[in-house]
Amino acid sequence: MAHIVAEPCVACKFTDCVAVCPVDCFHEGINFLVIDPVECIDCTQCVPECPTEAIFAQDDLPDKWSEYVEINAKLTPDWPVIDAQKDPLPEAEDLKDYEGKREFLDPGAWQE
Ligand code: SF4
Ligand code: SF4
């Protein structure tokens, strides 16, 4: 099992999660983060840190976001590791509670 980043993270990047992960298993896309399901040790430390409540143990993932198990696994190899907190995206606060952000998820990898 692993922890999963789900839809509420789209367009946010508050990255409080990254600051507490002991094994650096977050990977960064253009407007979303994923968790490497192989590296995650299920320590749960990131869950309470996420201001959008986007992170779930796989067994607790709401059914409406079940596709995010595959999304995290599929995008992890293509996206770079993020191991330090950064500023959120400009639209993060406005879209924090917006339902239906799936269509905004950009599959592209973050590039410095
Ligand atoms: S803290 Fe939550 S919303 Fe922010 S980057 Fe991490 S998972 Fe995404
Ligand atoms: S559960 Fe622990 S190991 Fe897994 S992503 Fe969160 S902080 Fe990292």
Side-chain angles (χ1 to χ4, degrees), residues 2-5 17-18 20-26 34-36 39-47 55:
H3 278 60
I4 306 293
V5 184
C17 55
V18 170
V20 299
C21 181
V23 293
D24 296 339
C25 61
F26 284 90
V34 292
I35 290 171
D36 182 337
E39 295 295 327
C40 175
I41 58 171
D42 288 322
C43 72
T44 76
Q45 290 187 56
C46 57
V47 175
I55 306 173

Side-chain angles (χ1 to χ4, degrees), residues 58-96:
Q58 188 171 332
D59 285 349
D60 298 332
L61 185 65
D63 287 345
K64 63 181 177 181
W65 293 327
S66 58
E67 70 168 321
Y68 283 85
V69 174
E70 187 185 345
I71 288 173
N72 278 246
K74 191 172 157 200
L75 295 174
T76 288
D78 295 335
W79 288 4
V81 170
I82 173 170
D83 59 6
Q85 191 164 10
K86 62 194 293 187
D87 290 337
L89 295 172
E91 63 271 35
E93 201 58 47
D94 286 346
L95 292 176
K96 190 172 158 191

